[in-house]
Amino acid sequence: MRNLVLLGGGYGNMRVLLRLLPNNLPEDVQITLVDRAPFHSLKTEFYALAAGTTPEKDIRVKFPEHERLSAVYGEVESIDLENKMVLLDNGTKVEYDDLVIGLGCEDTYHGVPGADEFTYSIQTMAKSRITYNTLAELPSGSSVGIVGAGLSGIELASELRESRADLKIKLFDRGPRILKDFPERLSKYVKKWFDNHDVEVIAQSNITKVADKVLYNHEEKIEVDAVVWTAGIQPVKVVRDTGLELDRGRVAVTQYMHVPNDEHVYVVGDCAASQFGPSAQLAEEQAEHIVKVLKLRWNNQPLPEKMPEIKLKGFMGALGKKQGFVYLADKTVTGRIARLMKSGLLWMYKRHNG
């Protein structure tokens, strides 16, 4: 019996499970899912957990069940590519024939002194809980700095404003304007929302140092009561430690989504190199490629000379629970309708996967 091991129960490996189960798994193949938690976490909603506007139970989805799917829970300590084995922190060893690495990411601090020690994160469920506890306990009038005005930073800042109207919120944006790579109309809408809701956006910022309750923007010292870091990610350390070739900080993969020197080791999601920025949508599209390749190989069929190009549809963002923005097929939608679209997509995802 061949063993397909899925490391991480994120969006990519959930799509692999969805496509193979219940009826597309060959009789001689079993699946072992390895994850730290007994449920799939909706990482795109961690900002709401950290802000205190969404309870944890609402961003959990059960893993599927199948007679040839087994789950092993624990923290991955190392990946032994030579011996085709995964070692967990509790001593468990999991052998594989095919491996899909989808262990996600962690913050990258770009060499900024003190950022690792003095900032909070929303990269995992556990870290988002800690961030929530910290922000929820801040006295009225406290100041929160959010470093990074990408989608995560924008959503966290807006949701925190909705949760804590009494806090001073500063959002540090490295670019000249919010979402600078997208239409100016979208940027202006988001910036106007922040202006109307008393969130200070500090453009062209450069955080050079973080200390206890202090941020340094360029040379300016800014006192804050808490700092949340949303300014970049990298593959988790256990993946970086494998020695796999990196491409712009993420693991290099072929068009078939496996690493260049081992056709049995696939990489999906935030760990995998791509022309696109990491996202749940990208992870799911990569997973579609992996499933197609696995099925062909299991059936001893040739792979296509060229895999279909991955195309992303766009993105959605929330500004609290009532407003939002959507960029879809080069079209921009803002306001209440955009927020309903995002809520509807989340509802469909939970229903389809749960």
Side-chain angles (χ1 to χ4, degrees):
M1 182 77 73
R2 294 181 62 85
N3 192 22
L4 169 64
V5 174
L6 308 181
L7 293 186
Y11 291 98
N13 278 334
M14 277 292 282
R15 180 58 64 93
V16 171
L17 290 172
L18 181 69
R19 289 292 180 258
L20 291 178
L21 302 176
N23 301 317
N24 290 314
L25 190 66
E27 292 294 329
D28 62 343
V29 177
Q30 64 181 15
I31 301 176
T32 302
L33 172 66
V34 180
D35 197 88
R36 61 164 64 97
F39 49 80
H40 167 55
S41 303
L42 304 181
K43 186 177 180 181
T44 59
E45 306 305 304
F46 283 0
Y47 71 91
L49 173 62
T53 55
T54 297
E56 185 175 319
K57 66 179 180 60
D58 287 355
I59 56 175
R60 293 178 177 178
V61 173
K62 290 182 178 180
F63 289 128
E65 296 180 356
H66 189 272
E67 59 184 4
R68 280 183 285 126
L69 168 64
S70 60
V72 179
Y73 301 118
E75 199 77 35
V76 176
E77 188 169 273
S78 64
I79 303 171
D80 185 345
L81 298 173
E82 183 176 350
N83 295 302
K84 306 186 77 168
M85 182 183 300
V86 177
L87 178 65
L88 304 189
D89 60 353
N90 58 14
T92 301
K93 296 180 180 180
V94 181
E95 297 180 349
Y96 67 85
D97 295 286
D98 295 293
L99 179 70
V100 183
I101 300 174
L103 289 172
C105 63
E106 59 191 28
D107 295 296
T108 183
Y109 299 102
H110 312 290
V112 176
D116 186 8
E117 183 179 358
F118 295 109
T119 67
Y120 295 90
S121 174
I122 57 171
Q123 289 304 329
T124 67
M125 182 82 85
K127 290 180 178 179
S128 297
R129 288 190 207 109
I130 293 170
T131 301
Y132 163 70
N133 289 333
T134 299
L135 298 179
E137 292 174 1
L138 288 175
S140 181
S142 295
S143 179
V144 177
I146 299 173
V147 180
L151 191 57
S152 295
I154 289 171
E155 292 189 309
L156 175 62
S158 61
E159 207 82 0
L160 184 60
R161 168 52 71 228
E162 189 161 290
S163 173
R164 292 289 305 270
D166 59 315
L167 296 178
K168 299 172 185 176
I169 302 174
K170 299 176 184 291
L171 179 61
F172 294 87
D173 186 3
R174 193 175 182 89
R177 62 178 172 91
I178 292 279
L179 299 173
K180 65 179 179 61
D181 295 328
F182 296 94
E184 191 170 355
R185 174 179 173 235
L186 184 58
S187 297
K188 287 182 176 179
Y189 174 78
V190 176
K191 179 61 166 58
K192 184 179 179 181
W193 191 96
F194 283 136
D195 290 342
N196 291 340
H197 291 82
D198 197 26
V199 173
E200 182 182 2
V201 178
I202 303 172
Q204 295 183 313
S205 62
N206 181 27
I207 304 304
T208 56
K209 182 180 177 181
V210 185
D212 186 21
K213 299 188 178 181
V214 177
L215 277 173
Y216 290 84
N217 180 28
H218 297 282
E219 300 303 320
E220 180 187 3
K221 179 180 179 181
I222 301 173
E223 294 185 356
V224 290
D225 296 285
V227 181
V228 185
W229 192 271
T230 63
I233 59 174
Q234 61 185 336
V236 294
K237 186 176 185 301
V238 69
V239 174
R240 302 198 307 272
D241 287 347
T242 59
L244 290 169
E245 177 187 346
L246 298 181
D247 178 3
R248 288 169 292 180
R250 291 187 277 173
V251 178
V253 291
T254 69
Q255 63 171 325
Y256 305 112
M257 295 307 301
H258 61 70
V259 299
N261 59 349
D262 192 336
E263 65 181 28
H264 297 289
V265 177
Y266 302 82
V267 188
V268 70
D270 295 345
C271 292
S274 172
Q275 61 177 317
F276 303 107
S279 68
Q281 183 184 171
L282 174 61
E284 292 177 336
E285 292 301 316
Q286 292 169 335
E288 297 284 359
H289 276 42
I290 291 172
V291 169
K292 181 176 182 178
V293 171
L294 283 172
K295 290 168 71 175
L296 288 171
R297 283 185 167 147
W298 287 337
N299 291 316
N300 296 314
Q301 295 177 334
L303 300 182
E305 275 192 32
K306 186 171 179 59
M307 293 290 286
E309 183 181 350
I310 289 179
K311 296 181 180 179
L312 303 184
K313 300 177 178 65
F315 67 90
M316 298 180 175
L319 292 170
K321 295 292 190 237
K322 296 180 180 179
Q323 301 292 316
F325 51 93
V326 172
Y327 184 69
L328 189 64
D330 293 329
K331 302 292 183 182
T332 300
V333 180
T334 58
R336 182 66 171 170
I337 292 176
R339 188 63 178 93
L340 289 172
M341 290 172 69
K342 184 176 191 242
S343 297
L345 182 65
L346 179 62
W347 180 87
M348 288 176 62
Y349 180 88
K350 291 169 68 174
R351 180 179 176 84
H352 191 53
N353 287 274

